[in-house]
Amino acid sequence: SESCEEYQEGLHCDFFEFTCCGSTGSVLSCDCLEKEWRCIVPSQCLGDCPPTAVPTPPPIETCPEVPPEPFGSESCEEYQEGLRCDFGETTCCGNTVPEFSCDCLEKEWRCIVPSQCLGDCPPTAVPT
């Protein structure tokens, strides 16, 4: 320690400006205590900066333009939980229905084929 007899007791001096971890301050901070300089390096400049929180974007509430693989297990993590999306169009038993529908459930797309398109069509009533 160096003497600070010629300075006022309790005098505080900061030396060399810095920016560490987003804070601006001094590289060296000294106080005149008991006629000696007591200096420290601010702790925010020691070691790595703490990780900064990256804001999570809000979930997407619209269906993707490109449909997920209908029988795969693609992630829908960035989409709204419970979002239902219909893809394609087909006619089954006289009804126009989506080729398949996908729901975003537990961060994965779960897809189904409409039940009208499975099996035979019910017989149509013939007017008498």
Side-chain angles (χ1 to χ4, degrees), residues 42-61:
S43 62
Q44 63 262 42
C45 282
L46 302 174
D48 295 330
C49 294
T52 54
V54 177
T56 305
I60 300 169
E61 296 178 1

Side-chain angles (χ1 to χ4, degrees), residues 1 5 8-9 23 32 38 53 66 81 87 91-92 94-95 98 102 105 127:
S1 293
E5 281 184 39
Q8 180 181 345
E9 179 71 12
S23 298
C32 183
R38 311 283 168 117
V66 176
E81 177 72 12
F87 297 99
T91 302
C92 295
N95 296 315
C102 298
L105 300 172

Side-chain angles (χ1 to χ4, degrees), residues 72-123:
S73 59
E74 288 188 39
S75 170
C76 64
E77 193 169 330
E78 67 272 14
Y79 290 89
Q80 178 73 44
E81 177 72 12
L83 178 65
R84 169 162 280 191
C85 298
D86 295 329
F87 297 99
E89 202 173 86
T90 190
T91 302
C92 295
C93 303
N95 296 315
T96 301
V97 294
E99 283 183 46
F100 62 95
S101 296
C102 298
D103 294 308
C104 181
L105 300 172
E106 297 174 1
K107 299 183 182 179
E108 278 192 8
W109 287 113
R110 311 252 171 112
C111 301
I112 60 168
V113 174
S115 60
Q116 300 97 309
C117 294
L118 302 174
D120 294 331
C121 293

